[in-house]
Amino acid sequence: MALDQQNNFQVMYIWIDATQENLRGKTKTFDFEPKVASDLPIWNFDGTSTGQSLGEGSDVYIRPVALYRDPFRPGPNKIALCETLTHDEKPHPTNTRQQCLDVMEKAKDQEPWFGMEQEFTLLGADKHPYNWPVNGFPAPQGPYYCGVGADRVFGRHILEAHYRACMYAGIKISGSNVESMPSQFEYQVGPCEGIEMGDSLWVSRYILHRICEDYGVVCSLDPKPVLGEWSGAGCHLNFSTNVMRTPSEDGAGWRAIEEAVHKLSKVHMHHIAYYDPHGGRDNERRLIGANQTETVDAFSSGVADREASVRIPRQVFADKCGYFEDRRPASNCDPYMVTSAMVKTCCFEGDDSKLTLRYVPKF
């Protein structure tokens, strides 16, 4: 990797396949250094191998939409996040980014900000939780959350490598921590405005999977990777608009937060359908009213309440402005669908607020 590139530049094109969970990628060489995504040409791939086309006419186009520095090929090389297109260069049926972009454009005057908390679980090559006893279980949950020590943290080197790689790439990674279940971790991305949230989270996931690949471990985004009295994995969404986060003497920010939470309560099951790639079935295993979750069929909210569907931080309640946390999205959610649903419910009125986001067909 230290060899000279002879004035050539590598760009890793990455895209989301038909599962809406997995990423694919391949590299192209250029004789110039791209500075923005629009510098790069449309490319294509074999959609029959990714579940995105059938037999004849298997080419699916990929168009770069966001550009990042490549931490695996340091220097001038890049990662290009791409959206998928049909043969006539229209959004592919599995392209949820385009509808998210449309929603964000309509709401841009409200300046929607997002932060997402991505939880993940490390597994060995045999899909057994990383460093767990071969024929048993570790001690019950309690000492692991934000823990320190070799008997409490399994895989911190991966968490740290991912953090630094995201910073190098240009992703707005804002923090990380060890989670409640051993071998489980979390990192936070944001605040990001509009479409940047989905773009950044998808690329951060690509970087995570690549780092795990280098270490010979598997990164699982399954919302309930271990059955029993073990915590599931979510991707909590922190959300605010300009009105919500702006201090005011008349409490306008607090009223906007209360109104948004009320709107969310009215369409709870609609959001559940968009909060994992399988219409809510994955979240049924995680949202069971235990391990700091509400049940999947109930909506609740509360100040500093991590067992509620929506948590309002204590400082926000004290300041009467800020943001709220939707704790329902699953760890394997599509951030484009999650952020679109949030904006349509909280920022639009009338017919525009109805959740009519398109389900992704399975080829």
Side-chain angles (χ1 to χ4, degrees):
M1 297 304 292
L3 295 175
D4 187 84
Q5 296 183 201
Q6 299 295 317
N7 296 317
N8 292 311
F9 304 87
Q10 293 173 288
V11 178
M12 171 66 80
Y13 279 56
I14 65 172
W15 68 94
I16 304 152
D17 70 15
T19 65
Q20 297 305 119
E21 296 182 70
N22 300 323
L23 288 149
R24 308 292 181 113
K26 60 178 183 174
T27 302
K28 194 175 184 70
T29 303
F30 293 90
D31 59 4
F32 66 94
E33 180 181 355
K35 301 297 184 181
V36 293
S38 58
D39 289 342
L40 296 168
I42 291 176
W43 203 10
N44 66 78
F45 64 89
D46 174 16
T48 61
S49 297
T50 66
Q52 288 166 296
S53 70
L54 301 173
E56 297 180 0
S58 63
D59 281 2
V60 176
Y61 289 136
I62 39 178
R63 177 168 59 201
V65 293
L67 203 61
Y68 301 82
R69 298 172 70 191
D70 190 340
F72 305 101
R73 297 161 172 164
N77 304 300
K78 301 293 193 295
I79 294 171
L81 175 67
C82 302
E83 64 175 349
T84 51
L85 306 173
T86 58
H87 66 92
D88 54 356
E89 298 189 14
K90 302 295 184 182
H92 191 273
T94 60
N95 179 353
T96 58
R97 185 186 189 273
Q98 187 58 56
Q99 60 183 320
C100 181
L101 182 61
D102 293 342
V103 170
M104 297 306 167
E105 283 296 309
K106 291 180 180 179
K108 64 181 179 181
D109 61 324
Q110 300 185 52
E111 300 177 16
W113 284 12
F114 307 95
M116 298 191 80
E117 306 173 19
Q118 179 68 69
E119 295 179 340
F120 64 93
T121 306
L122 297 180
L123 309 176
D126 58 357
K127 300 301 177 69
H128 190 69
Y130 181 71
N131 254 20
W132 280 33
V134 175
N135 296 312
F137 295 90
Q141 291 185 179
Y144 308 107
Y145 174 69
C146 294
V148 178
D151 58 340
R152 300 183 178 188
V153 182
F154 311 148
R156 189 191 295 275
H157 56 294
I158 292 174
L159 184 71
E160 294 295 337
H162 176 258
Y163 202 139
R164 191 63 62 86
C166 283
M167 294 173 71
Y168 179 89
I171 291 169
K172 293 178 180 176
I173 186 167
S174 51
S176 69
N177 59 271
V178 180
E179 268 302 331
S180 300
M181 188 178 81
S183 304
Q184 193 176 77
F185 301 89
E186 175 188 302
Y187 65 91
Q188 302 90 36
V189 174
C192 298
E193 185 170 346
I195 196 68
E196 182 188 11
M197 183 68 256
D199 291 349
S200 295
L201 195 72
W202 275 116
V203 177
S204 76
R205 287 175 174 177
Y206 167 77
I207 291 173
L208 178 59
H209 286 299
R210 278 285 286 104
I211 286 173
C212 287
E213 178 186 321
D214 285 351
Y215 280 109
V217 299
V218 175
C219 169
S220 172
L221 298 184
D222 189 291
K224 189 69 174 179
V226 182
L227 298 178
E229 295 299 316
W230 301 99
S231 292
C235 191
H236 304 161
L237 175 70
N238 298 285
F239 175 71
S240 71
T241 61
N242 186 46
V243 172
M244 291 179 193
R245 58 182 176 265
T246 301
S248 64
E249 294 183 359
D250 64 356
W254 179 251
R255 289 198 305 274
I257 290 172
E258 287 188 311
E259 180 181 358
V261 173
H262 178 70
K263 287 180 176 180
L264 290 170
S265 72
K266 298 298 184 181
V267 289
H268 168 64
M269 293 308 297
H270 291 81
H271 276 252
I272 289 296
Y274 294 120
Y275 281 6
D276 71 51
H278 298 100
R281 293 192 298 275
D282 291 338
N283 251 338
E284 288 178 357
R285 295 182 286 120
R286 180 180 73 97
L287 301 178
I288 57 175
N291 303 122
Q292 295 188 330
T293 66
E294 178 60 275
T295 57
V296 72
D297 57 352
F299 181 90
S300 60
S301 62
V303 174
D305 187 354
R306 284 178 167 79
E307 295 182 352
S309 307
V310 171
R311 178 183 71 95
I312 299 173
R314 192 177 300 280
Q315 191 63 51
V316 172
F317 179 71
D319 294 341
K320 293 297 184 283
C321 65
Y323 68 97
F324 61 85
E325 177 194 33
D326 189 339
R327 298 177 59 80
R328 296 172 295 171
S331 53
N332 62 343
C333 69
D334 177 353
Y336 295 135
M337 298 296 279
V338 171
T339 55
S340 296
M342 180 61 68
V343 167
K344 284 180 70 68
T345 296
C346 298
C347 297
F348 296 164
E349 300 293 342
D351 290 341
D352 285 342
S353 68
K354 294 178 181 178
L355 286 179
T356 56
L357 300 173
R358 171 172 43 80
Y359 282 108
V360 176
K362 303 301 181 185
F363 282 79

